[in-house]
Every structure is written in C-alpha cells, then in structure tokens.
Amino acid sequence: MTDNNWASFIFKSVLLGLIVAVILLLTVPELRNGSGLSLKMFDSSVTQRAPMSFSDAIANAAPAVVNIYSTGYDNRPLLYRRQPVERTSLGSGVIMTAGGHILTCYHVIKDAEYINVILQDGRVLDAQLVGQDPHTDLAVLKVTEENLPVIPQTEIPDTRVGDIVLAIGNPYNLGQTITQGVVSATGRAGLSNYVSSANYADFIQMDAVLNKGNSGGALVDSNGTLVGINNANFKTLDNNRRIKDVAGIFFSVPYALAKRVMDDIVAHGRVIRGYLGISGSEFIDQPGILVTAVDPKGPAAAAGIRANDIIMKIDGNAIESAFKTLDLVAETQPGSELTFELRRDEQVLKTQVTITELGSNG
C-alpha cells in the first residue's frame, strides 16, 4: 500500500469513528452525562416499570375486616312446621377500635340471637350487640379480645369522584375477597327505595363489586385507609315487578357518617337525631324548599309551618339543598330552637321551631 493510500485509509477511519461517536452521543444520554456505557442498557427488563399493586394497602386494612355469622330463629307459624327454624346470616365487619368495637350493617345482624366474629388470623369470637341505627343500616358490635388489628382511619377522608377504592369482605362465604373500582359519585341521598332503609345516609356510589356477604365490610382508598362501610347494590323492579340487581352501581356509607353513628351508639346506646316533621322538594331556578307535607304531630306543625310554605332560611342561613337542611336538623340536639324564615303567599314570616328527637313523635 502506497503512502497516499495509507493516509486516505487513516483519514476515512477517523472520520467514520467521529460520525459513530456523534451518533452515540445523540442517542445514548448516559454518555453525555459522563456515566459511561453500561451493559444494562441492552437488558430490556431494566426499562420495564414495576406493576401497579395495592398489596400494601390490603396488608394495612384487610386484617381488621372480619367475617360475621349471625344466628336467629324463625318462629312464624306455618301449617307444615311447628318448630322454630334456625336462620344464619352472612356478612362482614370492620374492627374500629383496639377495645373491640366493630362496625357492620344492621341487616347483617337483625333479629340475631348469636353473633360470631371470625378474624383473618383464625380467631373465633363471640360478639355482643351494642346498638343499631336502622336509618343508616349500621350496627355496632363488641368483642373482648387482646391484640386486635384496627383498620387505618383518618378524621375526614377526602373522597372524590374518580378515586380508586377497594372493597374488602366475605362474599358468598368464599373467604376474604378484594374488589376494585372507582368512586362514581358522592352524596347519593334519598336512596331508601333501593338500599335498605337509609333515609339519612349520604352514600358513596362506586363500581367496586359487592355481593351477598360483603355488607358491613370495608371500603378503603389506595393507601388502605377506611373511607366507607359497604352496604348494598342498586336494586330496581323489572317488568314483572320483581326486584333485580343493577350491575356496576354499589353503595357505601361514608366513614365520617359511620364513625359519628358508632360514637353515638357507644356513648348513648342509640343515635340521637333531631326531627322536624316535614317533607319537601327543591326548586330548580330559585333557592328554598317547598314544604309538600307536614307531620301533624311534629314540631314543624306545632310551630305553624304548613304545606306549600317555602323555607328560605334557618337561623339566618340561606337554604342550599333539601338534603343539607335535613342533615342540619338531624344533627341538632333535641330541645334546641331553630328560627325558620318562610315565604307564604308573598309574605315573609319567621317562626321558632323546637326540634324533637327522631322517633319520639308517635
């Protein structure tokens, strides 16, 4: 090879090397950062993200979710039966305190004579009924045992539409099962025709699947913190007037309401609620509540409130919604007075209403 050919070969080799180096610098950021070339960059498994998992959330919450078996006796007389028939109900519950208080659904333990609680570690405990609240379909049980797991709680969970939630319970006695979904809506009130008898409950609606046995179980967020007590699924009537379940619509009693009910039951043996004694409907284009019916034995009637009155303010506060108004009354201590501002036939009236206790009006 002549000297000219040798020089040309060297020049082309150097030029090719420079081109390759520039390409590598542009395509491999690690080389520009001075971290060098690692063989790991050729390992496809390194670039894969870890799979999303809620196992930590379940590990935090699941031990405090229990299976509940309640036994009662059907004494209804039938022609072909003279002896009482034993009935067993299946449900779930949530250990709320280290002292052994458990929240569940009222319909799970209704008319029960014996209640057994089974923990996830295998312990079987007898439970006593502390009290119940049919209006929210909640009940509080008590067990006596040491080293009980307690579900994680926060004072006011910020539950929002779109949040991922996990339902923990014992459907069909299969053992503890987890279902996952999102919060579809909050503030679902007035659902008493569909879910138990919870006229006062401000339900969370979600699509995490609930089946028989899930009632009373925990609804937790992606950290495992309790956000609700699972209740039921949406039910309606088919063309033959038979009850049927609707897929994808399920409900849970929000934590704040469930905790308030539990605290009242533990402290007083019952939930103390204020009672007004009206039915009403909201307007679409103006504030206020139209009174559609008045309980003749209730405090509203005693204060002179009539059907077709429009409630504009309570204690000087403008009405926002019928639900919030009833909630305000429910949380008012019986015996307290509230000032109602009404509109009747273009006249503005004020009246003092002495709130009574729900259930004490005959």
Side-chain angles (χ1 to χ4, degrees):
M1 181 180 293
T2 65
D3 290 342
N4 289 337
N5 289 340
W6 180 255
S8 176
F9 173 76
I10 293 176
F11 175 78
K12 290 179 180 179
S13 299
V14 171
L15 181 62
L16 179 61
L18 289 173
I19 293 173
V20 171
V22 170
I23 293 173
L24 286 173
L25 286 171
L26 291 175
T27 57
V28 183
E30 289 83 356
L31 294 177
R32 297 199 302 272
N33 296 332
S35 58
L37 183 64
S38 172
L39 293 177
K40 291 183 177 180
M41 65 177 290
F42 301 107
D43 184 357
S44 61
S45 64
V46 173
T47 61
Q48 294 179 355
R49 293 183 178 181
M52 180 179 291
S53 173
F54 301 107
S55 60
D56 290 340
I58 298 305
N60 291 334
V65 181
V66 301
N67 302 343
I68 294 177
Y69 300 90
S70 60
T71 303
Y73 294 92
D74 188 347
N75 294 306
R76 291 175 299 177
L78 295 175
L79 292 176
Y80 60 88
R81 187 185 72 201
R82 294 184 179 180
Q83 297 297 323
V85 175
E86 184 176 285
R87 305 288 189 193
T88 300
S89 296
L90 169 68
S92 303
V94 182
I95 301 176
M96 301 292 291
T97 70
H101 291 104
I102 297 173
L103 262 175
T104 187
C105 287
Y106 170 57
H107 72 262
V108 170
I109 52 83
K110 184 179 180 181
D111 299 326
E113 296 193 24
Y114 307 99
I115 304 172
N116 292 117
V117 169
I118 301 180
L119 276 65
Q120 299 309 311
D121 60 13
R123 283 180 283 180
V124 180
L125 307 174
D126 292 330
Q128 301 298 318
L129 176 64
V130 179
Q132 66 277 331
D133 180 41
H135 293 286
T136 53
D137 193 27
L138 292 172
V140 178
L141 307 178
K142 179 74 165 60
V143 295
T144 302
E145 182 74 359
E146 296 181 353
N147 300 318
L148 291 172
V150 178
I151 198 160
Q153 301 165 55
T154 186
E155 187 174 351
I156 304 177
D158 182 22
T159 305
R160 301 168 299 174
V161 174
D163 285 354
I164 291 175
V165 285
L166 308 165
I168 310 174
N170 179 25
Y172 297 115
N173 203 27
L174 292 173
Q176 192 172 86
T177 301
I178 314 300
T179 55
Q180 177 262 328
V182 298
V183 174
S184 307
T186 58
R188 290 301 201 202
L191 295 167
S192 57
N193 291 330
Y194 305 102
V195 283
S196 70
S197 60
N199 297 300
Y200 281 78
D202 177 12
F203 284 97
I204 296 170
Q205 179 186 327
M206 78 285 188
D207 64 352
V209 176
L210 303 180
N211 288 301
K212 184 177 180 180
N214 274 111
S215 292
L219 187 71
V220 302
D221 63 18
S222 57
N223 293 321
T225 302
L226 184 67
V227 298
I229 301 297
N230 295 326
N231 187 283
N233 62 322
F234 193 82
K235 300 178 186 294
T236 187
L237 299 177
D238 62 17
N239 294 332
N240 296 317
R241 307 295 295 174
R242 293 175 300 190
I243 295 177
K244 67 174 183 178
D245 295 341
V246 178
I249 304 179
F250 305 92
F251 299 101
S252 181
V253 181
Y255 168 78
L257 175 59
K259 179 67 162 52
R260 190 164 68 240
V261 167
M262 183 187 77
D263 289 345
D264 268 8
I265 290 175
V266 171
H268 309 293
R270 70 186 193 282
V271 179
I272 299 175
R273 286 192 179 87
Y275 178 68
L276 178 60
I278 67 164
S279 297
S281 61
E282 299 176 20
F283 296 99
I284 298 176
D285 56 350
Q286 60 177 306
I289 297 174
L290 175 65
V291 178
T292 56
V294 179
D295 177 1
K297 297 182 180 180
I305 297 177
R306 307 173 189 171
N308 297 318
D309 285 348
I310 299 173
I311 301 175
M312 305 298 298
K313 295 181 180 180
I314 299 178
D315 276 355
N317 299 312
I319 297 298
E320 294 185 29
S321 69
F323 171 72
K324 288 185 177 181
T325 299
L326 292 176
D327 199 39
L328 168 67
V329 172
E331 294 180 5
T332 299
Q333 187 70 21
S336 302
E337 283 193 347
L338 297 177
T339 302
F340 281 67
E341 184 175 310
L342 314 169
R343 192 167 75 235
R344 180 187 299 164
D345 299 327
E346 304 305 323
Q347 291 184 321
V348 176
L349 307 172
K350 288 187 177 181
T351 183
Q352 298 291 119
V353 181
T354 301
I355 301 300
T356 60
E357 184 176 346
L358 179 67
S360 64
N361 295 279

